[in-house]
Amino acid sequence: MSKDERTSDQKAYDSASISMINKAKEENINLSWDRYASVQPQCTFGVKGLCCRFCNMGPCRLNPKTGAVKGVCGADADLIAARTLTRSVAAGTAAHSNHGLEMAYILLDVAEGKAAAYKITDETKLKQVALDMEIPIESRSKEEIAKDVALAAISDFEKSHTKPHFLKRVIAKRIKIWEKLGIVPRGVNEEIVEALHRTNMGMGSDYKEITMAGMRVALSNGWAGSMLATEITDILFGTPKPLRSTVNLGVLKKDMVNVLIHGHEPLLSMVIIDAAVDPEIIKLALSVGSKGVNIAGICCTANEALMRRGLPIAGNFLQQELALVTGAVEAMVVDVQCIMPSLPEIAKCYHTKIISTSPKAVVKGAVQIMFDEEHAYERAKDILKEAINNYKNRDQAKVNIPDKKMDLVAGFSHETINYMLGGTFRGSYNPLVENIKNGRIKGVVGIVGCNNPRFTSDAPTVKLIRTLIKNDILVVQTGCAAIAAAKEGLMVPEAMDQAGAGLREVCEAVGIPPVLHCGSCVDNTRILIACTEMIKHGLGEDYSDLPVAGVAIEWMSEKALSIGNYFVAQGAMVLVGVQHQVTGSDNMTNFLYNEMENLTGGKFVFEPDPDKAAQIIIEHINKKRKALGI
Ligand code: NFS
Ligand code: SF4
């Protein structure tokens, strides 16, 4: 396999990652960056969206130079690019939404007394959600309410020809825009199925229509699939409140049994955190000569547990392999999504056990301990015992835990933002809106998504954030991009020193960092709610009026495509650092990056350079401010 010739500091930004990349090289271990090099050159037909494999007359690769301007069926570049994109958006929507559906079924089990490891933790949130779903709450037990909420949530996925309940939360003017465009979303499963149907061979051939269907399926993610995942997770595990924690590979402990939780659904991992303090588990951990069990996380499962329990985070997406290279991990417990298939192979170089827990994501070469909600606590203990018994196999000669970790404050749900910026007695978005109007805060930018070996991992995200806060732009974050910023110390109140004078003043008064961790990728829906609140508190009349933008500069996942789409459909500008695979079609490129603005008020912008990206965003925010007369 060919190696990535970039130096380690060209591959990753933080020193902990760099040192583990070096260690992997010494130990002859291939990482994502090496595999990225090995697949070069990447297929230009794929990159440009000019390859269709949707039927068996193909695959058809279009190449105008050789006269291949249409597929066998007659599909042109516009159509092939549009269909491929919309299918990816449907797949990303499916991932987030299937996770949301899973949460809804657990809530139903809890309401029916069938899942002993879980309970209704946040009754206020439960009631709020019930009210938004028009479910009665007067003189009813929380279980009765929860059952109706769960059933209503399930119907948002499974029922056809209905609209998701949370569309009631959307500003009316925006619904009118969607009605005009024909993109008011319906049930999530229906939207996904229809998107797959629409993109078959011999279906519609209008690229714009198919792209807009992609917007609609994404909206069903934003206002149903992902939003339900967030709300139900809050109900079951608590709505996040600010708390302190630590981040980066240095959270692993030399003298403890290290267990990493990795993936996206917090159902098992939250119970693992509880089980780790079970006297039986502590006793066992001490009996093998360790000082106890240390749990830390990777990716969004980690973000979920960080937000609600202050769980330390070992790293983001591209650090999952590096965590194993420390040689100090007894078990990495994986559930669903963003789990590299390479993990078991790398784990073999050490004593680490990869434990696969989701029947939907059976990882080959892993120990299989399948999650089961009725016996969640027992499964969690089984997993911890497996890890503890593995401690004796740790080869100290191979252990190197980078001495690098950073403090952070996380837990910024939209309720928290409301409460913190609104003052002690009465939460409100008024002060935030006032600070935007008076210019102390120029705007709000959501910086989200993945990291990607195409870049020096995390570098563009972090550089962009530093420039934006210096220019008085408040940054809100989710996903792996949030972990990237946290590692650089941007999520502690002291980071206000790096902010412009106006933003600094607000951070100082309220005691918040200039960069707020809002959670996992499904929690981008918290940003939708925050934007809605800003409008309700007098900042413009529609989402497209707001001085805000979205960014997923290092994105790689189809989930990020779906998120980007729902923000553009909402009326936001979304900046990406990797172009959509549509550039072989001038029409599609123009549609997404220009013309879309005339339809939804939002559009995609492509700019991988963080300095130029910052300028584009600042100009955009200034333009929106000017239009608002502020
Ligand atoms: Ni989001 Fe979370 Fe990370 Fe990207 Fe993957 S973990 S759901 S997809 S890589 S941000
Ligand atoms: Fe080729 Fe059309 Fe089949 Fe796609 S759907 S593979 S373009 S014939």
Side-chain angles (χ1 to χ4, degrees):
M1 188 192 249
S2 65
K3 292 273 179 191
D4 190 333
E5 294 307 325
R6 289 180 289 178
T7 57
S8 1
D9 61 352
Q10 289 170 328
K11 293 178 187 170
Y13 191 65
D14 74 278
S15 60
S17 295
I18 293 169
S19 67
M20 287 305 101
I21 292 171
N22 289 335
K23 182 171 187 275
K25 193 171 180 189
E26 281 162 24
E27 294 173 357
N28 221 2
I29 289 170
N30 276 307
L31 300 170
S32 59
W33 294 272
D34 302 306
R35 296 189 299 270
Y36 177 69
S38 78
V39 298
Q40 301 303 323
Q42 283 172 317
C43 168
T44 47
F45 295 96
V47 167
K48 293 180 176 174
L50 290 177
C51 174
C52 181
R53 295 183 294 114
F54 290 180
C55 91
N56 221 358
M57 293 187 281
C60 299
R61 307 197 308 179
L62 302 194
N63 185 353
K65 283 192 203 130
T66 63
V69 290
K70 284 186 179 167
V72 179
C73 66
D76 60 13
D78 304 341
L79 180 56
I80 290 177
R83 283 196 307 212
T84 308
L85 176 65
T86 290
R87 257 196 194 190
S88 285
V89 173
T93 301
H96 276 157
S97 299
N98 205 226
H99 159 189
L101 181 61
E102 208 66 55
M103 300 305 298
Y105 273 112
I106 293 285
L107 183 64
L108 184 61
D109 283 347
V110 171
E112 291 178 340
K114 287 188 204 150
Y118 308 97
K119 61 178 196 291
I120 295 159
T121 301
D122 190 339
E123 226 178 307
T124 313
K125 181 58 140 277
L126 172 70
K127 287 182 178 160
Q128 187 55 53
V129 169
L131 287 174
D132 288 353
M133 291 176 154
E134 292 175 0
I135 289 166
I137 58 171
E138 287 305 318
S139 357
R140 302 185 78 201
S141 72
K142 59 181 181 196
E143 287 73 23
E144 283 171 319
I145 302 172
K147 183 167 180 178
D148 283 354
V149 166
L151 291 173
I154 291 166
S155 79
D156 273 358
F157 294 97
E158 295 181 349
K159 204 163 162 205
S160 297
H161 305 308
T162 52
K163 288 180 195 150
H165 288 84
F166 290 150
L167 284 194
K168 292 187 196 79
R169 292 176 167 182
V170 182
I171 299 288
K173 193 170 173 189
R174 180 54 36 178
I175 297 276
K176 295 233 166 63
I177 296 171
W178 291 343
E179 277 168 357
K180 215 172 117 204
L181 295 171
I183 59 169
V184 180
R186 296 159 299 171
V188 183
N189 292 5
E190 181 180 17
E191 288 297 355
I192 295 167
V193 170
E194 191 182 294
L196 296 178
H197 180 191
R198 276 172 178 275
T199 49
N200 265 248
M201 196 292 284
M203 288 294 290
S205 53
D206 180 339
Y207 70 93
K208 290 188 184 178
E209 226 254 330
I210 290 168
T211 306
M212 293 317 282
M215 291 286 160
R216 195 170 67 199
V217 70
L219 282 173
S220 78
N221 182 10
W223 290 97
S226 283
M227 193 172 280
L228 286 164
T230 295
E231 298 289 50
I232 296 173
T233 308
D234 283 355
I235 292 169
L236 292 175
F237 301 111
T239 301
K241 296 187 184 71
L243 39 70
R244 278 195 172 261
S245 188
T246 42
V247 59
N248 215 341
L249 295 168
V251 304
L252 295 171
K253 298 268 166 58
K254 203 169 77 229
D255 45 12
M256 292 178 87
V257 175
N258 289 306
V259 178
L260 289 175
I261 53 175
H262 172 22
H264 286 77
E265 287 175 0
L267 288 169
L268 180 59
S269 46
M270 288 298 219
V271 185
I272 290 178
I273 296 170
D274 292 339
V277 293
D278 187 296
E280 188 197 347
I281 293 296
I282 295 176
K283 202 171 145 205
L284 184 65
L286 297 177
S287 77
V288 298
S290 78
K291 293 214 167 120
V293 179
N294 176 43
I295 309 217
I298 305 266
C299 287
C300 281
T301 284
N303 280 327
E304 301 276 5
L306 163 76
M307 292 285 282
R308 298 177 179 90
R309 300 284 181 83
L311 183 85
I313 294 207
N316 52 8
F317 178 64
L318 286 182
Q319 286 180 292
Q320 58 184 291
E321 296 182 313
L322 304 179
L324 303 183
V325 175
T326 63
V329 178
E330 274 57 56
M332 181 184 268
V333 187
V334 300
D335 52 79
V336 295
Q337 301 171 19
C338 297
I339 297 151
M340 287 193 186
S342 61
L343 294 177
E345 203 182 310
I346 296 179
K348 262 195 250 154
C349 305
Y350 307 95
H351 70 304
T352 309
K353 289 194 173 174
I354 307 295
I355 302 181
S356 175
T357 64
S358 168
K360 286 179 198 168
V362 176
V363 176
K364 199 180 102 202
V367 178
Q368 315 287 339
I369 303 182
M370 289 299 144
F371 169 66
D372 143 21
E373 58 270 24
E374 276 182 46
H375 306 98
Y377 197 72
E378 290 79 9
R379 286 298 93 77
K381 277 169 76 177
D382 292 345
I383 286 168
L384 289 171
K385 285 177 194 166
E386 185 89 25
I388 293 167
N389 290 328
N390 195 23
Y391 185 68
K392 61 176 184 301
N393 298 323
R394 192 193 284 185
D395 178 354
Q396 292 297 348
K398 282 189 179 172
V399 173
N400 178 358
I401 302 174
D403 181 21
K404 174 117 182 130
K405 60 181 174 186
M406 182 57 78
D407 290 334
L408 81 153
V409 178
F412 292 94
S413 53
H414 95 87
E415 287 87 348
T416 301
I417 298 173
N418 191 22
Y419 172 78
M420 291 204 74
L421 286 162
T424 322
F425 299 109
R426 205 198 178 120
S428 160
Y429 269 76
N430 270 335
L432 174 63
V433 167
E434 281 315 309
N435 279 315
I436 292 174
K437 284 185 177 169
N438 66 28
R440 278 197 195 97
I441 296 175
K442 291 276 186 287
V444 183
V445 174
I447 301 188
V448 308
C450 327
N451 50 17
N452 186 326
R454 289 174 194 281
F455 297 95
T456 304
S457 166
D458 301 332
T461 301
V462 171
K463 287 178 184 165
L464 174 61
I465 294 172
R466 288 207 170 109
T467 313
L468 293 181
I469 61 173
K470 203 174 286 166
N471 284 278
D472 294 318
I473 290 168
L474 177 69
V475 173
V476 293
Q477 289 205 270
T478 61
C480 290
I483 301 173
K487 284 190 285 181
E488 296 306 313
L490 290 163
M491 289 185 170
V492 285
E494 300 77 59
M496 68 176 79
D497 292 345
Q498 299 181 48
L503 177 59
R504 191 200 153 108
E505 206 180 310
V506 177
C507 292
E508 218 158 23
V510 188
I512 52 168
V515 183
L516 305 181
H517 196 321
C518 301
S520 67
C521 292
V522 293
D523 293 338
N524 281 310
T525 55
R526 298 190 198 279
I527 302 176
L528 290 178
I529 302 287
C531 290
T532 307
E533 290 296 325
M534 286 190 246
I535 302 162
K536 284 189 187 159
H537 287 83
L539 197 62
E541 292 172 353
D542 172 56
Y543 302 84
S544 60
D545 299 335
L546 295 172
V548 301
V551 175
I553 202 158
E554 298 174 65
W555 76 277
M556 62 86 199
S557 165
E558 288 172 319
K559 291 177 283 176
L561 270 181
S562 178
I563 296 165
N565 259 29
Y566 73 64
F567 274 105
V568 167
Q570 203 68 35
M573 180 185 94
V574 173
L575 186 137
V576 292
V578 187
Q579 247 173 329
H580 295 76
Q581 293 175 351
V582 300
T583 54
S585 155
D586 291 342
N587 283 333
M588 265 303 282
T589 310
N590 189 40
F591 190 51
L592 287 179
Y593 293 84
N594 293 310
E595 278 175 55
M596 188 61 74
E597 199 166 15
N598 303 326
L599 302 177
T600 69
K603 65 171 173 183
F604 286 105
V605 175
F606 165 64
E607 182 50 69
D609 178 281
D611 295 328
K612 289 183 193 154
Q615 286 324 307
I616 293 169
I617 292 165
I618 292 165
E619 269 164 39
H620 175 78
I621 282 179
N622 286 339
K623 194 179 86 190
K624 293 289 175 188
R625 293 184 65 88
K626 207 168 157 203
L628 283 168
I630 56 176

